Amino acid sequence: MELALAASNQLFNARNSPSYVAQVLQGVNAVATKVQRTTRPFTGVGHAGLKAKVDAVELSRPLRDTAAALEELDELYLKDAIYFHDSRYAAHLNCPVVIPALVGEAVLSAVNSSMDTWDQSAGATMIERRLIGWTAERIGFGPDADGVFTSGGSQSNFQALLMARNHAVAKLRAAGAAGSGARLPQLLDRLRIFTSRDSHFSIQKSASMLGLGFDAVIAVPTAADHRMDPAALAAALAETHDAGLVPMAVVATAGTTDFGAVDPLAELAALARAYDSWLHVDAAYGGGLLVSNRYRHLIDGTHLADSVTVDYHKTYFQPVSSSAVLVRNGAMLRHVTYYADYLNPESAAKAQVPNQVDKSIQTTRRFDALKLWLTLRTMGAEAIGALFDEAIDLAGRVGALLAEDPDFELAAEPQLSTLVFRYRPVVGGSRLVEAAADRLNPAIRAAVFASGEAVVAGTKVDGHHYLKFTLLNAEASRNDIREIIELLRRTGAGLLAGTNSKENAA
């Protein structure tokens, strides 16, 4: 009883609100102080050392003091965190976040609305629905559009393909196809999904989780610009149809992870319609173009999709997590609806009670839409777009630097804010051989990461190892990225010299 009474002093309520303010401010100040004093994106700590420090904490012995817990957290987390706001962080699709969204994060976590039913979320439901409508308008969908917030692009893609699968199965049954009375698993073997070979891996994962299997996804070749080749898609669709299989869905990408490529959406939409296939546009990355002031045209044709993924926590500068899946025809959301008497009875739907769980594959869900709402109400859509435009412009300037540098090879011209390149200097009068470059570039990335001076990503192109910049920091300059390039050059030259010394000694 005594312990429970003491613990109740940590419950957030009217009585404890002054303590809440004081303790949260301690946390905010700890983060702000760390950000002010941090001079690089990472410390370079190894996972073994950090694991040992975390494992040494005796969780059964609480510190019982927020200041002490934050001091410990500084050593276990804040000191060694990866800081995306640093101009030398240039690795993955992680954005620096805007302050109004952080205010939203503080509000939503304290009130703790759950977005599954109206009687848990009231005003939050209306705000989320309004933002879905706003995004649908930006896409160019009509009045029948709808959607729901999700945890991220992978979940948005999964829900879109779940709807596409169930829609395809419903059509098979309605057409009286062979086995139309069979259970769902017996109808899945014929279904196929088409997407570019550069699309996100969540498409294959979704196919597996949907019971179709990884091999139900047909990888369509891309053109030299890494956009899906419409002629190759047409051939693949025809071959599948002629084999008696069902082209369930075409997944176009508006901003591939590596190259930022936006597939030719209008052409792919026409092919999808010709085969009565669902068209999903994965705009997790490129969705920020919907608010761009200069590059909006790059995403033209998105309105032709049946469903669209948008990740606000990428190019809208929101904290994780904040994503949405949108559908041109809101009735398609029925494919994920399930009624439970204890939560969202069918009678509530008939009475038009706005239970968001009717549209979602999640039940308990955070009010992540509030972050975007406060961002729009504080900054406006044009300001968000301006941040993304700056990142795209920076990629163009850095791409020009790399294209002119004799020590580096650029895999493709930048299309959004990513750059794929490799260090491949001239050695002994000729370019470093492919095999050596394939060994060297991952080693460069690892060494730079271990130094903590910068963070860059890596990928493969046609089986060969490359480095990658993902630029989403509007405050980063060409000189900031030039410093990373020089660091990569010095690191590569040092590794090459060490390798040559070992070979000569041998």
Side-chain angles (χ1 to χ4, degrees):
M1 183 65 177
E2 185 177 328
L3 183 59
L5 287 173
S8 70
N9 290 326
Q10 295 295 346
L11 290 173
F12 175 48
N13 51 36
R15 175 174 63 86
N16 294 330
S17 58
S19 178
Y20 156 75
V21 172
Q23 292 187 56
V24 169
L25 283 176
Q26 288 183 66
V28 169
N29 286 329
V31 173
T33 300
K34 180 58 65 176
V35 167
Q36 289 169 353
R37 295 176 178 174
T38 297
T39 59
R40 55 176 59 186
F42 183 47
T43 63
V45 65
H47 53 81
L50 193 53
K51 180 180 185 299
K53 287 197 294 185
V54 173
D55 288 349
V57 173
E58 181 52 71
L59 289 174
S60 62
R61 296 179 183 175
L63 299 171
R64 302 192 186 283
D65 178 79
T66 297
L70 287 170
E71 184 177 353
E72 178 185 77
L73 187 68
D74 182 83
E75 182 65 23
L76 299 178
Y77 172 56
L78 293 177
K79 187 180 83 172
D80 298 308
I82 312 290
Y83 285 101
F84 303 145
H85 72 277
D86 193 290
S87 60
R88 286 165 297 174
Y89 179 87
H92 304 287
L93 279 164
N94 306 115
C95 57
V97 296
V98 293
I99 293 172
L102 295 178
V103 175
E105 189 74 60
V107 173
L108 73 91
S109 61
V111 179
N112 201 31
S113 299
S114 181
M115 297 302 299
D116 40 341
T117 58
W118 166 254
D119 63 2
Q120 299 178 74
S121 57
T125 293
M126 295 297 102
I127 288 174
E128 176 170 303
R129 288 189 167 207
R130 179 67 185 92
L131 285 173
I132 289 293
W134 174 82
T135 307
E137 290 168 9
R138 289 270 169 170
I139 291 171
F141 282 163
D144 294 331
D146 204 347
V148 71
F149 270 64
T150 73
S151 66
S154 291
Q155 187 182 90
S156 292
N157 288 341
F158 175 77
Q159 179 162 342
L161 290 174
L162 173 61
M163 291 185 287
R165 185 201 72 177
N166 290 356
H167 184 56
V169 168
K171 287 189 295 182
L172 285 174
R173 287 174 169 160
S180 58
R183 293 182 65 249
L184 176 66
Q186 296 171 280
L187 299 174
L188 301 183
D189 189 53
R190 296 172 57 201
L191 304 183
R192 296 292 182 270
I193 300 168
F194 301 80
T195 192
S196 99
R197 66 179 184 180
D198 287 345
S199 66
H200 195 261
F201 74 96
S202 62
I203 307 306
Q204 282 77 10
K205 287 186 69 174
S206 295
S208 177
M209 291 187 289
L210 290 169
L212 307 178
F214 292 117
D215 56 358
V217 179
I218 297 174
V220 180
T222 59
D225 58 4
H226 293 273
R227 304 166 78 216
M228 192 192 300
D229 182 351
L233 174 63
L237 285 165
E239 181 179 353
T240 298
H241 179 269
D242 292 346
L245 302 173
V246 178
M248 178 191 106
V250 173
V251 179
T253 308
T256 58
T257 305
D258 277 346
F259 294 98
V262 179
D263 289 335
L265 303 178
E267 294 176 74
L268 303 189
L271 287 167
R273 280 197 303 270
Y275 285 88
D276 196 22
S277 298
W278 183 285
L279 176 65
H280 175 62
V281 173
D282 176 7
Y285 177 12
L289 294 169
L290 296 173
V291 292
S292 169
N293 302 300
R294 298 197 298 275
Y295 299 104
R296 171 63 178 81
H297 62 281
L298 295 177
I299 206 170
D300 285 351
T302 311
H303 68 288
L304 301 170
D306 293 290
S307 58
V308 178
T309 287
V310 176
D311 267 10
Y312 307 107
H313 59 227
K314 287 187 172 68
T315 46
Y316 288 70
F317 305 94
Q318 301 295 291
V320 174
S321 60
S322 186
S323 179
V325 59
L326 300 105
V327 287
R328 181 161 43 86
N329 179 1
M332 291 297 109
L333 290 166
R334 71 179 184 274
H335 289 301
V336 300
T337 301
Y338 187 89
Y339 297 114
D341 289 337
Y342 53 80
L343 188 69
N344 61 324
E346 190 171 4
S347 59
K350 290 178 179 178
Q352 297 186 322
V353 176
N355 291 327
Q356 290 293 85
V357 73
D358 296 351
K359 306 176 182 182
S360 176
I361 60 175
Q362 292 176 266
T363 305
T364 303
R365 188 165 53 81
R366 302 173 84 241
F367 180 28
D368 285 314
L370 180 61
K371 297 175 287 191
L372 179 61
W373 179 270
L374 285 181
T375 301
L376 290 174
R377 300 308 297 144
T378 304
M379 296 172 56
E382 289 185 358
I384 300 170
L387 292 175
F388 191 26
D389 288 349
E390 285 298 313
I392 295 172
D393 289 345
L394 177 60
R397 294 191 291 269
V398 174
L401 280 178
L402 289 168
E404 296 168 0
D405 195 313
D407 285 341
F408 291 91
E409 283 186 339
L410 192 61
E413 292 293 319
Q415 299 184 56
L416 289 183
S417 64
T418 56
L419 291 151
V420 178
F421 62 99
R422 61 180 171 174
Y423 178 68
R424 196 182 174 199
V426 174
V427 178
S430 60
R431 284 279 186 187
L432 187 68
V433 296
E434 292 273 14
D438 283 338
R439 292 189 298 270
L440 180 59
N441 281 276
I444 293 172
R445 181 192 176 200
V448 167
F449 184 68
S451 76
E453 293 185 55
V455 183
V456 301
T459 190
K460 279 187 175 183
V461 180
D462 296 328
H464 297 293
H465 286 278
Y466 280 75
L467 303 170
K468 185 174 73 169
F469 287 152
T470 303
L471 306 177
L472 285 176
N473 191 338
E475 290 197 328
S477 68
R478 184 171 69 167
N479 284 337
D480 290 328
I481 310 304
R482 191 199 299 269
E483 289 180 6
I484 304 177
I485 293 170
E486 292 308 315
L487 173 61
L488 296 171
R489 191 195 318 274
R490 290 195 305 271
T491 304
L495 290 169
L496 264 181
T499 299
N500 291 336
S501 295
K502 289 180 183 177
E503 289 175 354
N504 292 334

